[in-house]
Amino acid sequence: MKTNKLVLAILGTALIVSTGCNKDSAAQQDLDKAASDAGGALKNAAEAVKEGGEKVGQDVKQAGEALAKDVAKKAEEVAAPVNAKAQGIIDETKKLVSDGKLQEAVAKLKELTGEKLSAEQQALADGLKAQIDKLSGK
């Protein structure tokens, strides 16, 4: 910020001095060079600010991604025990159906009542119930 103010002050001074000087004088040439250098410094300062802003943006994005991963991991840890129990019941039900033990499969499937199922587990349970109904002739 101080660099920007300094550059603006130099440019302003150069403009004021240039209006009273002859274009061919040595002072005018020095002033033109100073103004050119100040313009270059201003350009460099603007690029530095831009790069700094991009770096901050990247840092915020990375922090957000890390936070999202942590939240997802915690959610999986909390839901895992319930889903693991339900998945065990579903797997046992599949085995009973493949062994032809339909009555036991129906009883096992009823154990899912009250369990919190993922969308995939709900679809599997519904599919197993339909398969059991079809095999038992219902």
Side-chain angles (χ1 to χ4, degrees), residues 7-129:
V7 170
L8 290 175
I10 291 171
L11 289 175
T13 304
L15 181 63
I16 292 171
V17 172
S18 69
T19 57
C21 293
N22 186 354
K23 192 76 169 163
D24 296 329
S25 72
Q28 180 63 38
Q29 291 173 354
D30 289 343
L31 186 59
D32 289 343
K33 183 178 182 324
S36 175
D37 291 346
L42 182 60
K43 181 180 176 184
N44 290 343
E47 288 175 6
V49 167
K50 180 181 175 188
E51 289 173 7
E54 289 173 356
K55 173 79 170 120
V56 168
Q58 289 173 349
D59 290 347
V60 168
K61 181 180 176 185
Q62 289 173 349
E65 289 172 349
L67 180 62
K69 286 179 184 177
D70 288 346
V71 169
K73 184 177 178 183
K74 291 292 182 189
E76 287 176 11
E77 289 173 2
V78 169
V82 172
N83 287 342
K85 181 179 177 186
Q87 191 61 46
I89 293 170
I90 290 170
D91 292 341
E92 289 177 40
T93 304
K94 282 182 187 179
K95 184 171 179 353
L96 290 169
V97 170
S98 66
D99 291 343
K101 301 177 181 178
L102 301 179
Q103 293 301 324
E104 292 175 34
V106 169
K108 184 56 82 174
L109 201 55
K110 287 183 181 181
E111 291 179 23
L112 287 176
T113 304
E115 293 293 330
K116 186 173 183 176
L117 303 177
S118 67
E120 182 180 338
Q121 289 173 327
Q122 185 64 52
L124 285 171
D126 292 343
L128 283 169
K129 177 147 179 39

